[in-house]
Amino acid sequence: MKVILAMVMSLDGKTTKWDEAGIYNWTSPEDREYFFSLREKNDVIIMGRKTFDAAKSVIKLSPRCLRIVMTRTPQKYSNIAVKEMLEFTDEPSSRLIEKLNKRGYSKVLVVGGEQVNFHFLKEKRIDEIWITIEPLLFGLGNSLVSPSRLNITMELKGVRKLNKKGTLLLKYRVIYNSF
Ligand SMILES: NC(=O)c1ccc[n+]([C@@H]2O[C@H](COP(=O)([O-])OP(=O)(O)OC[C@H]3O[C@@H](n4cnc5c(N)ncnc54)[C@H](OP(=O)(O)O)[C@@H]3O)[C@@H](O)[C@H]2O)c1
C-alpha cells in the first residue's frame, strides 16, 4: 500500500491564500490538470473535513474512487455517506490504512489540509510527498502541516516544470527520523 501526500502551495509555503477557503482561484491550469489526472490513478482519496467543506461543490463521486473524510464526528454525516464512494471516519491513520489494505485498496492519496497532513506524517503513514509550487507569495495562509513539531527528512525523486511561468512539481520520498 503506497500513500502519497499531494498538495499545491505558494513559494512561501502557503497552502491557502490568506484565509480564503478555496484554492482554485490561484492554482495554475497546469497544476489542476496534473492533479485531476493524479486523482484518476488512485483508488482512495483522504481529506480533512474542512478540505471536504471547501471542495464538496466540485467533488464528483465515482465507484472507481473511495473518498474518505476525516472528522471527529462521522455520525453527523451519515445522511450523505455512500459506501465505497464517500465515507467519514474518526479512525487514526494507521488503523485506517490497515483496514483499507484489507478491503483491497492499494493506492492512497492524502490531499490535506494541514491538520490531516500533520496527523498522517506524525503516524509515519506517508511514503511520498508530491508538491506543486506556484510562483506566488501570500505571506499569510495555512501551511503544509499544522504548526507543531515534526522531524522528517526527504529525498528528491524528481522535478518537473509544469508551465512557462515556472510552476514546479517536486516529488520526495519521506524518511522518518527518530526525535
Ligand atoms: N493547497 C492545497 O493543496 C490544499 C489541499 C487541501 C486543502 N487545502 C485548504 O486547506 C484548508 C483546510 O485545511 P485545514 O488544515 O484547516 O483542515 P483539514 O485538515 O482539511 O480538516 C480539519 C478537520 O479534519 C478533522 N480531523 C483532523 N485531524 C483529525 C483526526 N486525527 N481524526 C479525525 N478527524 C480529524 C477535524 O474535523 P471535525 O472538525 O469535523 O472534527 C478537523 O477540524 C481549506 O481552505 C482547503 O481549501 C489546500
Side-chain angles (χ1 to χ4, degrees):
M1 166 84 77
K2 185 165 176 179
V3 183
I4 296 168
L5 191 163
M7 296 281 282
V8 54
M9 60 164 60
S10 63
L11 189 57
D12 56 342
K14 306 301 177 197
T15 57
T16 62
K17 183 179 183 183
W18 315 324
D19 56 359
E20 290 177 9
I23 61 167
Y24 291 128
N25 61 348
W26 57 266
T27 58
S28 59
E30 294 80 12
D31 173 66
R32 286 197 291 280
E33 194 183 318
Y34 141 77
F35 185 69
F36 295 147
S37 72
L38 184 61
R39 281 192 326 202
E40 301 301 310
K41 293 178 191 136
N42 287 274
D43 46 22
V44 182
I45 296 179
I46 300 176
M47 71 194 83
R49 192 266 308 160
K50 290 185 184 171
T51 296
F52 174 70
D53 281 346
K56 63 187 170 195
S57 60
V58 294
I59 292 177
K60 290 191 182 78
L61 295 186
S62 154
R64 283 183 291 121
C65 181
L66 166 61
R67 258 84 172 192
I68 297 188
V69 180
M70 308 266 303
T71 170
R72 293 191 175 84
T73 56
Q75 63 286 355
K76 247 172 61 181
Y77 302 92
S78 54
N79 58 328
I80 57 166
V82 184
K83 197 160 169 43
E84 292 178 1
M85 282 204 266
L86 178 64
E87 300 181 5
F88 294 79
T89 186
D90 58 356
E91 288 197 288
S93 55
S94 296
R95 198 169 334 135
L96 177 61
I97 297 294
E98 256 169 54
K99 282 192 175 175
L100 288 170
N101 211 0
K102 281 190 189 143
R103 288 170 71 180
Y105 294 104
S106 60
K107 288 184 231 145
V108 177
L109 206 55
V110 174
V111 297
E114 64 173 17
Q115 290 187 37
V116 160
N117 295 347
F118 179 82
H119 172 65
F120 272 77
L121 285 162
K122 187 90 184 159
E123 300 257 314
K124 304 185 177 177
R125 295 315 316 210
I126 300 291
D127 300 303
E128 292 187 10
I129 299 184
W130 295 7
I131 293 295
T132 304
I133 297 186
E134 296 287 2
L136 298 165
L137 296 175
F138 294 147
L140 277 178
N142 283 16
S143 298
L144 185 63
V145 291
S146 300
S148 211
R149 285 182 185 205
L150 285 174
N151 185 21
I152 292 170
T153 307
M154 278 168 291
E155 181 185 74
L156 187 66
K157 283 184 59 184
V159 185
R160 206 167 95 209
K161 190 173 164 190
L162 297 187
N163 56 25
K164 276 194 181 153
K165 71 176 182 181
T167 299
L168 298 179
L169 172 62
L170 309 174
K171 295 187 178 181
Y172 289 96
R173 186 173 71 82
V174 177
I175 303 159
Y176 292 98
N177 303 311
S178 49
F179 276 91

